[in-house]
Amino acid sequence: MPDGGDGILAPVGAQVVWGDPDPLWAVGDWRPDEIRVVEAQPGSRLAVFGCCGASDDELRLGLIAARGGAFRHLTAWPGSYTAVACVGRRLTVAADLAGVRPVFHTPWARGTAYATAALPLADLVEAELDFGHLAALLACPDAPEALGDGTPYRGVSRVPPGHALIVRDGGSREIAGYESSTSLVVGAPPVDPEAAVAGVRDALVNAVRARLTAPRHASEHDTDARDPGPVPGMGPADRQRARGGPAPGIGADLSGGPASGTLALLAAGLPGTPGTVFGSGAAGAGERLLAVTFNDLTTGTGAAHRGGPHDPADAEDHTAELERAHAIAQNPRLRHLVVTGGEETLPYADLTAGPLTDEPGPSLVAAERHRSRLTAGSADHFVGAGARQVLDAHPARLADLLLDRRRRHLVRPVAALARAEGQRGESQVAGRSLLVPVTIYRAARRLARTPYREGVEQTAALMRDGGFTASAFEPCPDGGESAVDASVAALTWCRPGPAARWLTGEALAEVSLRLESAAQARPSVERPGERRARAALARSAADHRVLEQAAELRNQRLHAPYFDNQVVRAARELPDALRVRPGARASILRAALAGAGVHDVPSGWGAPTQAAHHAALRAGIRLASERLLELFQAPLLAEAGLVEARVVRQAVRRVARGEPLPAEGIADLAAMELWLSRLLARRGTCWTGAAAPRHRAAAAGVHPDARYERSLPPTPR
């Protein structure tokens, strides 16, 4: 590929890392310390993009190991980064374990082009939209069998998490895994729970330390215009927005939950100066870490005071969460900032603004909500995303315990579900709680006895069944009304997503073919719980990547240490018996804090915090129903044959009225529609030069003649 040095071909806004014969560019707003290049011998070089806690000597050792084929060493350093190793004419690019830093590739000019974003490659080969992949994203977002290695663009493929792309002589390519998978037949040796928890603690501490030891950064406005001090009617967050961006230094979310609270306390408690740059911002002394709490006034007590719809239980949980955040903020090395948000910060509040992201994701509908919080944050800001998927036990892991003949370990989680069912306060539910142990055990045993191929084919047959779409407006069985219903629904090899019930029969048939093809091509040797947990992690990481792009602020970096390779790798060593215990995530994070010298945590540490998210989704649909109906008046999704506009509008009206339908399905559909409209409305491409492609990706739009190209996804790995 030409290196763009003479204006032939280059990405827009690129800087050359190294040139021919296998050029490498860095595109975008990179800090100087986020691009590191080392050489071990002539012809061997390694480039690392992102936050990496390894020294230059450690990078050289990793490059030497990669020369012999041990490229797993390129993923074993603390931090979140992408490593590109060049040994002669052999290039190795490793994707991360979670999927938050993916790698894409496509054939081009008798060779292979690769990137960490799919849209530039789609522009390079003038790719059209892959509507089969878009249908799979809506119908089975958690199923790797349906998604395969594809992307929304035809011909552009994704390197699966835990794999690396190896390109030889600029042409032949190979996808190789660098993580060993647990066999279904041969049981793994028992793992000491204390040693496993200690491994998670060390990995998490090193992940936070890697960010603390990185150079501090301040944006331009921090040197040109200082905070003028108190202004009538303006709080610190308002003054910060008026100055134009995030505060310098390091900050963290502090929602009151254990995930964000652990990161804030670790960052504040580790040696060094955790907070803002000395002498800048409102902190002055620069010794305290900025902790940001978002107080949603539309839910909980705020809604009650204004007479809006509210659930007393949600109000109590919301108040308790804020109290935990205030208790954590009593740490003398934290500077607490509470950001309030009203109806203008609900999901769907602003459907017109927002950048074009690389791929669609449900975070698009709530990007403005997150941006209102992140604007008050710091230049380097910790977020607790991914903790639930990395540390918690997916309900399907109960089947893994049955496969290992460890039935006694089901007692605690089943008893916790029975207590939760009995505390709902309804007489019929109280009686139903007695049946919870039998219900959960039967579902787990059925999953343990169902072969992988049969389980996936059952989901494919369900999607082709006419009764599936006929029951599109029946009450959602796992819509958050009951933890037992949600757990039973999750005890499957594969299941439809919340938006699947509103797709057309043609779209569902396309997805069912993908499922059957993947199940027949390569049967899985993983345990059901392990496979479902990996898929849920990949889904969460992909959505976080979309959020990073949709809510991006200039001069700000979001850090999600729970997605780091070393944290994910250490968490996978946790035994299933420890994971399924009630409160396992909270106890693991408490142990991580204890290892860093923090022993006091507020009461209620680890209480569930997902109710506020679901309540905000429903409140946003209720208030923005007219705008959503206008969005789906003549949607691009209907033109592509994925949905019927009439059906989606009916779903929006019913959810706005409060009917028990999956609000998450509306978020998936709205996000996909927004992404398609922004993609087709853009001008220009990602490339410049005389040899740049004349047409951009998806130039044909969603023309019906180009809807379904019968191409099955690559075999999932």
Side-chain angles (χ1 to χ4, degrees):
M1 181 186 295
D3 65 0
D6 52 3
I8 298 178
L9 180 66
V12 175
Q15 52 179 307
V16 178
V17 179
W18 61 61
D20 283 337
D22 299 308
L24 180 66
W25 294 292
V27 182
D29 180 24
W30 290 96
R31 295 170 175 173
D33 59 285
E34 291 176 335
I35 303 177
R36 300 169 61 187
V37 180
V38 298
E39 293 189 8
Q41 292 179 355
S44 298
R45 48 195 173 184
L46 172 68
V48 178
F49 301 87
C51 179
C52 179
S55 64
D56 288 350
D57 291 338
E58 291 173 327
L59 294 181
R60 292 188 182 93
L61 288 176
L63 177 57
I64 293 173
R67 290 183 58 191
F71 50 85
R72 183 181 184 273
H73 292 274
L74 303 178
T75 68
W77 302 305
S80 179
Y81 53 88
T82 300
V84 182
C86 179
V87 180
R89 293 300 310 278
R90 187 189 70 190
L91 278 167
T92 303
V93 192
D96 66 336
L97 291 174
V100 77
R101 284 187 171 270
V103 177
F104 305 90
H105 61 93
T106 186
W108 184 80
R110 300 186 302 275
T112 299
Y114 63 92
T116 55
L119 182 56
L121 297 182
D123 276 347
L124 183 66
V125 298
E126 302 177 5
E128 297 299 337
L129 289 171
D130 185 349
F131 294 101
H133 183 84
L134 297 180
L137 276 176
L138 293 174
C140 290
D142 295 336
E145 297 82 7
L147 299 176
D149 298 344
T151 65
Y153 316 98
R154 292 178 186 168
V156 179
S157 302
R158 179 196 312 269
V159 177
H163 291 69
L165 171 68
I166 304 175
V167 181
R168 293 182 174 87
D169 297 325
S172 65
R173 61 184 177 274
E174 173 190 357
I175 307 297
Y178 58 80
E179 287 292 300
S180 59
S181 58
T182 304
S183 172
L184 186 65
V185 180
V186 181
V191 180
D192 181 22
E194 294 185 1
V197 172
V200 174
R201 177 197 65 207
D202 295 341
L204 199 55
V205 169
N206 290 334
V208 174
R209 182 180 286 115
R211 275 78 174 188
L212 290 179
T213 55
R216 305 296 170 84
H217 295 273
S219 55
E220 297 87 349
H221 70 271
D222 294 308
T223 57
D224 297 338
R226 299 296 179 86
D227 188 351
V231 177
M234 295 181 66
D238 299 320
R239 299 198 303 271
Q240 187 171 303
R241 293 189 186 97
R243 297 200 310 274
I250 298 179
D253 279 352
L254 186 60
S255 66
S260 62
T262 298
L263 296 180
L265 290 173
L266 282 178
L270 291 176
T273 304
T276 60
V277 177
F278 181 83
S280 64
E287 293 292 336
R288 295 187 294 171
L289 181 137
L290 176 62
V292 180
T293 297
F294 181 73
N295 182 14
D296 188 356
L297 300 180
T298 63
T299 60
T301 56
H305 291 161
R306 294 188 312 277
H310 69 285
D311 187 339
D314 290 345
E316 184 178 349
D317 293 342
H318 179 71
T319 302
E321 191 174 14
L322 289 178
E323 290 177 352
R324 286 194 295 271
H326 283 293
I328 295 173
Q330 297 303 313
N331 187 297
R333 301 198 78 186
L334 291 178
R335 178 169 62 93
H336 197 203
L337 177 62
V338 178
V339 178
T340 59
E343 294 179 353
E344 71 282 357
T345 62
L346 282 173
Y348 311 99
D350 190 354
L351 299 178
T352 57
L356 171 64
T357 57
D358 194 43
E359 298 179 279
S363 289
L364 286 176
V365 301
E368 291 297 323
R369 179 180 180 87
H370 291 283
R371 188 179 291 112
S372 65
R373 180 188 82 253
L374 297 174
T375 303
S378 298
D380 290 276
H381 198 78
F382 286 100
V383 295
R388 187 178 302 274
Q389 290 75 21
V390 171
L391 298 176
D392 277 8
H394 192 281
R397 288 192 183 273
L398 297 178
D400 293 356
L401 292 176
L402 290 181
L403 288 173
D404 291 337
R405 301 182 182 276
R406 291 184 290 177
R407 296 180 179 86
R408 62 186 180 89
H409 294 293
L410 271 68
V411 174
R412 288 187 179 182
V414 170
L417 287 173
R419 286 194 300 270
E421 193 77 1
Q423 291 172 359
R424 293 173 61 191
E426 302 175 10
S427 57
Q428 64 271 25
V429 171
R432 181 186 170 190
S433 64
L434 299 176
L435 301 177
V436 168
V438 177
T439 303
I440 297 296
Y441 181 78
R442 284 179 176 175
R445 185 179 61 178
R446 181 170 59 251
L447 176 59
R449 294 182 176 182
T450 302
Y452 166 76
R453 177 180 296 181
E454 180 181 339
V456 175
E457 289 178 344
Q458 288 175 358
T459 303
L462 173 65
M463 290 187 172
R464 289 195 302 270
D465 187 1
F468 180 75
T469 53
S471 60
F473 296 104
E474 291 185 359
C476 185
D478 57 335
E481 296 296 329
S482 169
V484 175
D485 290 337
S487 299
V488 172
L491 283 165
T492 58
W493 277 104
C494 175
R495 65 167 178 163
R501 55 173 60 198
W502 298 314
L503 299 186
T504 62
E506 185 181 14
L508 293 175
E510 179 78 8
V511 177
S512 68
L513 289 176
R514 286 171 162 252
L515 291 175
E516 290 182 342
S517 175
Q520 295 172 3
R522 182 171 177 172
S524 174
V525 296
E526 294 177 289
R527 299 171 183 269
E530 179 184 356
R531 185 172 182 84
R532 290 298 307 276
R534 289 175 187 266
L537 175 60
R539 163 73 165 170
S540 176
D543 193 39
H544 177 73
R545 179 170 176 261
V546 172
L547 172 63
E548 283 186 313
Q549 299 171 8
E552 182 181 10
L553 295 173
R554 182 174 176 80
N555 303 309
Q556 186 179 64
R557 297 290 188 273
L558 297 185
H559 299 282
Y562 295 106
F563 287 128
D564 287 6
N565 283 337
Q566 288 299 78
V567 177
V568 173
R569 195 172 274 131
R572 287 179 178 175
E573 296 298 323
L574 294 171
D576 289 343
L578 174 63
R579 284 178 178 271
V580 300
R581 293 179 185 175
R585 173 163 49 101
S587 63
I588 292 171
L589 294 179
R590 186 184 291 110
L593 288 175
V598 180
H599 299 281
D600 296 330
V601 295
S603 60
W605 177 265
T609 58
Q610 288 295 302
H613 170 70
H614 297 294
L617 274 180
R618 294 189 175 275
I621 294 175
R622 184 175 63 252
L623 294 175
S625 59
E626 295 299 326
R627 292 190 293 273
L628 284 172
L629 292 175
E630 182 179 352
L631 178 69
F632 290 110
Q633 191 63 37
L636 295 169
L637 288 173
E639 187 177 348
L642 301 182
V643 301
E644 292 185 15
R646 170 187 55 84
V647 174
V648 179
R649 290 196 299 268
Q650 185 178 0
V652 171
R653 293 190 185 98
R654 293 197 174 195
V655 174
R657 289 198 299 264
E659 295 188 21
L661 296 175
E664 294 80 3
I666 302 296
D668 290 343
L669 292 172
M672 183 78 73
E673 180 67 22
L674 288 174
W675 181 80
L676 283 174
S677 62
R678 292 171 185 175
L679 177 67
L680 300 183
R682 74 187 182 117
R683 297 290 182 267
T685 72
C686 299
W687 297 86
T688 184
R694 294 181 298 173
H695 301 288
R696 62 183 182 275
V702 291
H703 196 271
D705 294 340
R707 283 190 302 172
Y708 286 109
E709 184 178 274
R710 293 293 177 180
S711 58
L712 296 174
T715 302
R717 292 172 175 83

